[in-house]
Amino acid sequence: MTTPNSNDLMIVQDLKKYFPVRSGLMQRVTAHVKAVDGVSFTIQSGECLGMVGESGCGKTTVGRTILRLVEPTAGSVVFDGQDIAKADAKTLKAMRRNMQIIFQDPYSSLDPRVPIGESISEGLLIHGMKDSRQRNAIVVDMLRKVGMEEYHSRRYPHEFSGGQRQRIGIARALALRPKFIVCDEPVSALDVSIQSQVLNILRDLQHEFGLTYLFIAHNLSVVEHISDRVAVMYLGKMVELTDREELFRDPRHPYTQALMSAIPIPDPKVKGKRARIVLKGDVPSPLNPPPGCRFHTRCPIAQDVCSKQEPEFRELKPGHWAACHFA
C-alpha cells in the first residue's frame, strides 16, 4: 500500500468484508461472499479519492465498511489517529460527527413521512444540539449552500425532483460540519445536466469547508472531473492506484486499460477511435473467486503464472501502484 504520512486523514490496511452464506435446516454457514478482500489505501486531508470499478466489485462495501455501517471482517481503519474498527459505541458516535455519507438513492435514504428540514436536523439533535432555533438556522444555511431555499425545509421528499433530493442528501451530510464524506455514486441516478450541477456543488463545498471525499462511481468521466487520485477495484481487490492525470494518461493494469478504452470521445471533430479492448466472459463469483490474479480469467495478456500466484500490489513508479505481474 501507499506509505502513510502525517497528512493522511484515513489509513485503511488489509480491509476485508466477508458476508456469510447460510443454508440447510440449521442455517449453518456454508460459504462466504468475499466482497472486500484485503484492500489498503490512504486518503489525505482535503483530497478526493475516486474509486471505480464494475458493479459488484466491492467499492460501495468499502465505503460503508470504513464508516462501520457494516462491520469489517478483518483489517484496520484509522481515521484522524483513531482506529474505527476497535472503537466502542460511545467513541464511534463521537467520531461520526466527522464522518458522513451521501447515498446513491436520495429518495430511499429520506423518510417520506418527515419534512426534509427535520431529516437534515436529526443528526444535530442526536449529537446534542437541543436548541431548535439553532438547528433550524443550520438547516436553512445548509439548504442555501446547495442552492435551495428556506421554504423547502417544510416540504416532503416526494415533492422534489431527483436532483433536488440529492442536494438535500448533501445538505444533511454537511449539517454536522464533518471532515470526511463518502460519496456513494451520488450522481449515477441523475440526468447528465443535473450531474454537472451536483458535481460542481460538491467541488465548491470541498474548497469552502476543507472536506475530504471518497468518491465512489462507475463513470470514469465523472471521476476524472472531481478526483485527485483514483483507485480501481476488481472483484474485491484494488488493482491500480495513482493520481488522476497519471491514470488517464498511462493506465498500467489490463483491467484499467479496458475501462479506459470504453470511454466515448465526445468531440465529433476528433478523428479516429480508441482501440477498444473487449473483455471476454463474465466477472467470476465473489463466492468462489479464481486463484492467483482474479482478473486472469478475462485478461488479454494472462500467462500461466497469473492463475497460480497472486500479484503483489506494488509501486511501479512514484505514486503509481498496480497489482499485475506484467504491468
Side-chain angles (χ1 to χ4, degrees), residues 176-187:
L176 287 165
R177 296 294 178 91
K179 295 180 180 179
F180 175 68
I181 299 178
V182 173
C183 305
D184 184 12
E185 301 196 33
V187 298

Side-chain angles (χ1 to χ4, degrees), residues 24-35:
L25 186 63
M26 303 299 292
Q27 288 293 290
R28 291 190 175 94
V29 176
T30 56
H32 287 89
V33 175
K34 297 180 179 179

Side-chain angles (χ1 to χ4, degrees), residues 151-191:
Y151 66 86
H152 286 129
S153 66
R154 297 182 289 275
R155 293 186 176 180
Y156 291 82
H158 72 272
E159 299 180 76
F160 297 96
S161 67
Q164 287 176 316
R165 285 196 289 264
Q166 197 57 280
R167 291 171 188 240
I168 293 164
I170 295 170
R172 182 173 60 178
L174 280 174
L176 287 165
R177 296 294 178 91
K179 295 180 180 179
F180 175 68
I181 299 178
V182 173
C183 305
D184 184 12
E185 301 196 33
V187 298
S188 63
L190 307 178
D191 294 336

Side-chain angles (χ1 to χ4, degrees), residues 161-227:
S161 67
Q164 287 176 316
R165 285 196 289 264
Q166 197 57 280
R167 291 171 188 240
I168 293 164
I170 295 170
R172 182 173 60 178
L174 280 174
L176 287 165
R177 296 294 178 91
K179 295 180 180 179
F180 175 68
I181 299 178
V182 173
C183 305
D184 184 12
E185 301 196 33
V187 298
S188 63
L190 307 178
D191 294 336
V192 174
S193 59
I194 306 301
Q195 284 185 14
S196 62
Q197 294 175 17
V198 172
L199 287 172
N200 288 333
I201 287 171
L202 287 170
R203 200 64 186 264
D204 292 343
L205 292 171
Q206 182 185 19
H207 293 151
E208 182 176 352
F209 294 109
L211 297 170
T212 303
Y213 291 150
L214 173 63
F215 192 94
I216 297 167
H218 55 254
N219 187 329
L220 284 164
S221 298
V222 168
V223 170
E224 184 181 15
H225 176 73
I226 197 169
S227 301

Side-chain angles (χ1 to χ4, degrees), residues 10-16 65-68 70-79 82-89 91-92 95-96 99:
M10 180 165 283
I11 303 170
V12 179
Q13 292 184 319
D14 199 27
L15 182 67
K16 297 180 181 180
T65 305
I66 63 177
L67 298 181
R68 257 184 74 180
V70 294
E71 291 293 328
T73 302
S76 68
V77 181
V78 178
F79 175 77
Q82 293 182 284
D83 192 342
I84 296 172
K86 297 179 181 178
D88 57 28
T91 304
L92 187 61
M95 293 174 70
R96 281 194 168 140
M99 303 183 299

Side-chain angles (χ1 to χ4, degrees), residues 65-278:
T65 305
I66 63 177
L67 298 181
R68 257 184 74 180
L69 294 179
V70 294
E71 291 293 328
T73 302
S76 68
V77 181
V78 178
F79 175 77
D80 207 13
Q82 293 182 284
D83 192 342
I84 296 172
K86 297 179 181 178
D88 57 28
K90 184 178 180 180
T91 304
L92 187 61
K93 180 181 177 180
M95 293 174 70
R96 281 194 168 140
R97 285 190 66 101
N98 289 314
M99 303 183 299
Q100 294 294 311
I101 184 169
I102 301 169
F103 293 98
Q104 179 177 358
D105 184 354
Y107 189 67
S108 65
S109 62
L110 293 170
D111 189 335
R113 299 165 296 180
V114 174
I116 62 104
E118 291 185 27
S119 292
I120 295 171
S121 66
E122 186 176 12
L124 297 167
L125 182 62
I126 289 171
H127 285 278
M129 189 176 289
K130 305 299 183 182
D131 189 336
S132 60
R133 288 177 298 179
Q134 188 178 1
R135 292 200 307 271
N136 290 336
I138 292 174
V139 168
V140 172
D141 183 43
M142 291 299 104
L143 285 173
R144 287 177 174 158
K145 294 286 186 188
V146 297
M148 302 181 75
E149 297 297 333
E150 180 180 359
Y151 66 86
H152 286 129
S153 66
R154 297 182 289 275
R155 293 186 176 180
Y156 291 82
H158 72 272
E159 299 180 76
F160 297 96
S161 67
Q164 287 176 316
R165 285 196 289 264
Q166 197 57 280
R167 291 171 188 240
I168 293 164
I170 295 170
R172 182 173 60 178
L174 280 174
L176 287 165
R177 296 294 178 91
K179 295 180 180 179
F180 175 68
I181 299 178
V182 173
C183 305
D184 184 12
E185 301 196 33
V187 298
S188 63
L190 307 178
D191 294 336
V192 174
S193 59
I194 306 301
Q195 284 185 14
S196 62
Q197 294 175 17
V198 172
L199 287 172
N200 288 333
I201 287 171
L202 287 170
R203 200 64 186 264
D204 292 343
L205 292 171
Q206 182 185 19
H207 293 151
E208 182 176 352
F209 294 109
L211 297 170
T212 303
Y213 291 150
L214 173 63
F215 192 94
I216 297 167
H218 55 254
N219 187 329
L220 284 164
S221 298
V222 168
V223 170
E224 184 181 15
H225 176 73
I226 197 169
S227 301
D228 299 304
R229 290 187 300 146
V230 182
V232 183
M233 287 194 65
Y234 181 82
L235 203 62
K237 292 279 190 181
M238 190 174 291
V239 296
E240 190 159 2
L241 173 65
T242 187
D243 68 78
R244 174 193 60 201
E245 294 180 358
E246 173 73 11
L247 187 80
F248 282 82
R249 182 180 65 250
D250 185 25
R252 296 296 187 92
H253 196 280
Y255 177 63
T256 311
Q257 293 168 1
L259 290 180
M260 294 296 181
S261 75
I263 302 175
I265 299 174
D267 190 350
K269 296 180 182 179
V270 176
K271 295 182 179 180
K273 297 181 179 180
R274 289 188 178 95
R276 185 74 170 91
I277 302 173
V278 180

